Amino acid sequence: MIRKFTMGRPIITEAVTAEFMSEKIGAFPFKSKTENGCFSFSFAMRKDDIVYGLGEAVRGINKRGWIYESYCSDDPFHTETKSSLYAAHNFIMLGGSSSFGIFIDFPARIRWDIGYSKSDEAEITICGMDFDIYLITADSPREIVREFRAAIGKSYVPPFWAFGFQQSRWSYHNAEAVDRVIDGYNSANIPIDCVYLDIDYMDSYKDFTINESAFPNFKSYVADKQSQGIHLIPIIDAGVKKEDGYEIYEEGKANGYFCKTADGSIFEAGVWPGICAFPDFINPEVRRWFGSKYRYLLDMGIDGFWNDMNEPALFYSAKGIENALDEAAEAKGKNLDLGKFFHLKDVFMGLSNSRDDYSSIWHSVDGESVNHQSVHNIYGASMTKAAGDYFSEAFGEGKILMFSRASYIGAHRTAGIWFGDNHSWWSHILLNLKMLPSANMCGFLYCGADLGGFNENATRDLVLRFLALGVFTPLMRNHSALGTRDQECYSFENTDDFRDIIEVRYRLIPYLYSTFKKASEENELIFRPLSFDYPDDKIARECETQLMLGEECMIAPVYEQNVSGRTVYLPEDMRLVKLSGTRVEQQELEKGLHYIEVALNEIPLFIKKSKKIPLCQPALRTRDLDKDSLEYI
């Protein structure tokens, strides 16, 4: 059952597609208070209660013991100390002494104190007075998820080829660099379906343009790659370069499509191209305009995109950089003591993604001016909705790959997400694992992390272990940053190990795709915490390094360096299957703890009794997979 409680005049986010009768907030059955323009409520937690949800967030599957914040943030350092990442997924769920879920449909900041201030209490503070709260009750966490997902609408289903292996880097800066990647994978006989184009494919970092000197005859080049079974996936950023004569900028300026400042002038801030304007994606007319611009690349044969920098990311505002330079000039030649030096440092460190800058942005919502801080968390989601709505209208469902960095619940109907700029840290294998069920709860099924890590230099064993988890994530993309070590699979010694891992992915694609489609159609999870299936098993309830996959399997990746395997807990008798290339080893194991040896080129998978999964023969491209000739294990 779902009850809806409304306060004030909520901004319409389109997160919820089902209709519910609104009750007054006074009927909300939790202790609440109003203070300093904020509404907060709290509920008690017993010692063994688990709090799930919040989608893309740091720390564990169980969210207890920390303060989280719903505020889409461009922050590449995903450490335990952070409170927010790129997404705002305002859904939590209590499992244990009682079961209920809460979704707060509010596009501004929310503070979630989940047992940090008081270990036996959760206090949620909504930083505003206009919102909807949905209270979902059912007999189990899994049923609560089904109820919630039914209310927010079916999850996006990408094209079949989007389950193939994908290679990205910031940046393959010209056609020759892209060809070297494809040749590298072909020479190593490693399957691949997609190569990504980061910002250097554009002319001066301008959306919907091509750098003709780097990618001459782009339409023919795309067609040539398509003939090889390779999809090129270009990036699209939120900021539009301020440049006279640039069509997108000129149209946006002439039609009033860009975000404004309080005095009605266009808000400007620096990103990759320098000074940019930012489309007012909250406005449906602007969304229709911007979404139609993807046609430029679609007409060249492109059939997939990734939206980036859409929190929105701001390197600096014109006003902010001017103030900082004035402070630096004032300090020139002076003896800077401790306080003065760190003040100057903080001035420059605070230029990027400044909340003061966000507060100076204004949107048009139903003819009224609304400050950006009131809609911050739906800006990136609205950009993605602009594209997704256009794709559905022009091509139908499931024809175009689309995923985004910033997101809000509701965007799951038109796109997937990736978990942003992570690091080549062993801890981020586990962070990826723990985000998967939380993202699924919020409707985001097509998701994954930058395998091998985006920032810093990866080691060979880290990339292999990261890929071994990525074998199961719908988005399986290796991505790395400018200036880091080459991270393509063929760049390391003994590429056979990498081929063994990625061939396993291709053998599993028919199973993973059917599991994905079922999860979308039935409002289910692809990945579940063990506690969903074994609520009375204390070890399973506390396990956060293993996940249930579909109805048949359990996964348990290796996530530590310099080890030959790991300890795995089986909550029931299962069959251990080790997959490597076309090799399959099987062993029956009893319920309990087991140390499992896992070579760097092996994938461990645990199949439940009376269950089976299909495998096909591997191929270099998804288009060449024989989905009719399957073997079952």
Side-chain angles (χ1 to χ4, degrees):
M1 183 178 74
I2 298 180
R3 296 172 66 189
K4 175 184 178 182
F5 303 88
T6 299
M7 187 169 194
R9 296 175 56 207
I11 288 173
I12 304 301
T13 67
E14 302 181 1
V16 177
T17 57
E19 294 288 336
F20 298 94
M21 185 75 70
S22 285
E23 302 180 47
K24 292 183 178 180
I25 197 66
F28 190 56
F30 292 99
K31 182 174 66 176
S32 63
K33 63 181 179 181
T34 300
E35 189 174 29
N36 298 323
C38 298
F39 177 87
S40 63
F41 64 93
S42 60
F43 57 85
M45 300 181 294
R46 294 186 181 178
K47 181 180 179 180
D48 293 332
D49 286 347
I50 298 175
V51 178
Y52 304 98
L54 295 182
E56 181 186 311
V58 297
R59 298 197 169 224
I61 295 173
N62 186 350
K63 295 298 186 289
R64 290 186 68 160
W66 193 238
I67 295 177
Y68 304 87
E69 188 175 53
S70 291
Y71 194 85
C72 296
S73 302
D74 172 21
D75 187 341
F77 294 94
H78 305 170
T79 59
E80 292 184 15
T81 58
K82 298 302 167 66
S83 59
S84 59
L85 297 179
Y86 302 97
H89 299 152
N90 304 338
F91 172 74
I92 62 169
M93 176 172 55
L94 186 77
S97 56
S98 61
S99 292
F100 60 85
I102 294 170
F103 171 55
I104 303 173
D105 195 3
F106 178 70
R109 191 166 67 89
I110 303 174
R111 184 177 185 268
W112 311 79
D113 184 339
I114 314 294
Y116 176 80
S117 298
K118 296 180 181 179
S119 60
D120 61 351
E121 182 180 84
E123 183 175 31
I124 292 89
T125 302
I126 303 170
C127 300
M129 302 295 287
D130 302 283
F131 53 82
D132 290 315
I133 301 178
Y134 296 82
L135 178 63
I136 308 106
T137 53
D139 292 334
S140 69
R142 192 167 180 179
E143 292 176 12
I144 290 169
V145 170
R146 288 196 198 102
E147 289 273 348
F148 175 57
R149 293 267 304 283
I152 61 176
K154 300 295 185 188
S155 297
Y156 163 78
V157 178
F160 181 77
W161 55 261
F163 285 76
F165 178 69
Q166 308 178 25
Q167 181 61 58
S168 183
R169 184 173 176 86
W170 175 31
S171 182
Y172 302 129
H173 57 281
N174 58 28
E176 290 75 17
V178 172
D179 289 341
R180 283 195 295 272
V181 172
I182 299 169
D183 291 344
Y185 276 96
N186 287 343
S187 296
N189 208 31
I190 299 174
I192 185 171
D193 268 77
C194 304
V195 178
Y196 281 70
L197 304 180
D198 212 311
I199 55 177
D200 292 302
Y201 84 90
M202 304 179 195
D203 174 17
S204 303
Y205 310 129
K206 293 181 290 189
D207 283 342
F208 311 115
T209 65
I210 300 297
N211 180 346
E212 293 289 350
S213 62
F215 291 91
N217 304 312
F218 188 69
K219 185 173 184 178
S220 297
Y221 183 72
V222 173
D224 179 59
K225 299 306 113 179
Q226 288 272 15
S227 71
Q228 300 173 35
I230 297 293
H231 302 262
L232 299 180
I233 315 296
I235 197 169
I236 302 294
D237 288 335
V240 172
K241 184 178 183 181
K242 179 183 180 181
E243 181 181 280
D244 292 341
Y246 169 36
E247 178 185 3
I248 309 298
Y249 177 74
E250 294 287 9
E251 285 185 13
K253 182 173 67 171
N255 292 293
Y257 287 160
F258 294 129
C259 296
K260 304 292 195 299
T261 61
D263 65 7
S265 60
I266 295 174
F267 171 79
E268 296 177 348
V271 201
W272 303 118
I275 294 296
C276 291
F278 295 81
D280 185 359
F281 295 119
I282 313 302
N283 184 333
E285 182 181 350
V286 177
R287 288 202 298 271
R288 287 191 291 272
W289 166 72
F290 195 84
S292 70
K293 296 304 175 183
Y294 286 80
R295 188 85 204 198
Y296 172 76
L297 291 165
L298 291 163
D299 284 345
M300 293 189 177
I302 294 296
D303 52 6
F305 300 89
W306 51 313
N307 281 351
D308 197 12
M309 308 294 285
N310 53 352
E311 293 72 34
L314 311 176
F315 292 167
Y316 60 88
S317 68
K319 180 180 178 182
I321 196 73
E322 182 179 342
N323 290 341
L325 292 173
D326 286 345
E327 293 238 20
E330 178 68 23
K332 186 175 181 180
K334 292 185 178 179
N335 182 4
L336 302 181
D337 62 17
L338 178 69
K340 292 175 181 175
F341 168 73
F342 279 101
H343 168 73
L344 186 61
K345 180 181 178 182
D346 289 344
V347 167
F348 280 90
M349 293 294 289
L351 284 174
S352 296
N353 308 315
S354 163
R355 294 197 181 186
D356 287 341
D357 286 338
Y358 287 141
S359 296
S360 69
I361 302 172
W362 290 84
H363 299 267
S364 176
V365 179
D366 296 329
E368 296 183 15
S369 290
V370 173
N371 188 267
H372 177 80
Q373 294 287 32
S374 298
V375 294
H376 174 78
N377 289 336
I378 58 171
Y379 184 82
S382 298
M383 176 190 179
T384 300
K385 179 176 172 55
D389 286 350
Y390 178 75
F391 298 156
S392 295
E393 179 183 318
F395 300 97
E397 300 290 337
K399 299 295 194 300
I400 308 296
L401 170 61
M402 166 57 73
F403 59 95
S404 173
R405 193 168 77 176
S407 61
Y408 184 88
I409 292 172
H412 71 284
R413 297 192 297 273
T414 53
I417 55 174
W418 95 100
F419 299 141
D421 297 343
N422 63 358
H423 277 68
S424 295
W425 296 339
W426 288 90
S427 63
H428 277 185
I429 297 178
L430 267 189
L431 181 60
N432 182 4
L433 179 97
K434 293 173 183 179
M435 284 183 182
L436 291 168
S438 301
N440 281 191
M441 291 174 198
C442 298
F444 291 95
L445 300 183
Y446 191 77
C447 58
D450 290 342
L451 301 175
F454 178 72
N455 293 291
E456 311 297 346
N457 295 315
T459 60
R460 179 179 184 273
D461 57 341
L462 171 66
V463 176
L464 282 164
R465 295 302 196 193
F466 228 135
L467 289 170
L469 169 59
V471 158
F472 300 106
T473 62
L475 171 61
M476 187 186 187
R477 182 178 75 149
N478 180 332
H479 186 41
S480 56
L482 184 72
T484 62
R485 177 184 188 178
D486 289 347
Q487 201 168 284
E488 296 80 10
C489 295
Y490 57 80
S491 300
F492 297 95
E493 61 185 301
N494 190 7
T495 57
D496 290 352
D497 287 349
F498 292 87
R499 181 172 63 251
D500 288 341
I501 293 291
I502 295 176
E503 281 189 345
V504 171
R505 165 61 169 221
Y506 279 68
R507 299 201 74 193
L508 286 166
I509 284 177
Y511 167 68
L512 295 172
Y513 185 72
S514 64
T515 300
F516 186 104
K517 289 198 70 174
K518 180 181 178 182
S520 176
E521 291 164 2
E522 300 180 6
N523 300 313
E524 266 290 0
L525 303 168
I526 300 171
F527 302 99
R528 299 185 305 283
L530 271 60
S531 55
F532 273 42
D533 291 43
Y534 308 97
D536 299 322
D537 185 325
K538 184 175 178 62
I539 298 177
R541 281 177 58 79
E542 296 182 355
C543 179
E544 296 212 345
T545 65
Q546 304 167 205
L547 293 175
M548 305 307 298
L549 168 63
E551 298 301 324
E552 299 82 10
C553 306
M554 183 179 75
I555 62 173
V558 177
Y559 54 89
E560 294 179 297
Q561 63 181 337
N562 301 322
V563 297
S564 58
R566 60 161 292 176
T567 299
V568 177
Y569 176 66
L570 273 58
E572 63 175 276
D573 295 352
M574 292 185 177
R575 174 171 294 193
L576 165 63
V577 180
K578 290 183 183 180
L579 302 167
S580 180
T582 57
R583 179 170 58 85
V584 179
E585 292 184 6
Q586 303 186 54
Q587 180 184 358
E588 299 289 344
L589 296 176
E590 295 181 347
K591 174 182 176 178
L593 290 170
H594 299 267
Y595 184 83
I596 308 297
E597 290 196 356
V598 183
L600 284 171
N601 67 335
E602 289 182 329
I603 307 290
L605 184 61
F606 301 84
I607 301 180
K608 297 170 69 173
K609 275 195 167 183
S610 77
K611 300 293 184 181
K612 60 183 179 179
I613 64 167
L615 296 175
C616 66
Q617 286 301 306
L620 289 179
R621 308 285 186 264
T622 53
R623 69 179 185 183
D624 298 323
L625 291 174
D626 183 353
K627 301 187 288 291
D628 297 321
S629 300
L630 303 173
E631 65 174 285
Y632 285 84
I633 56 170

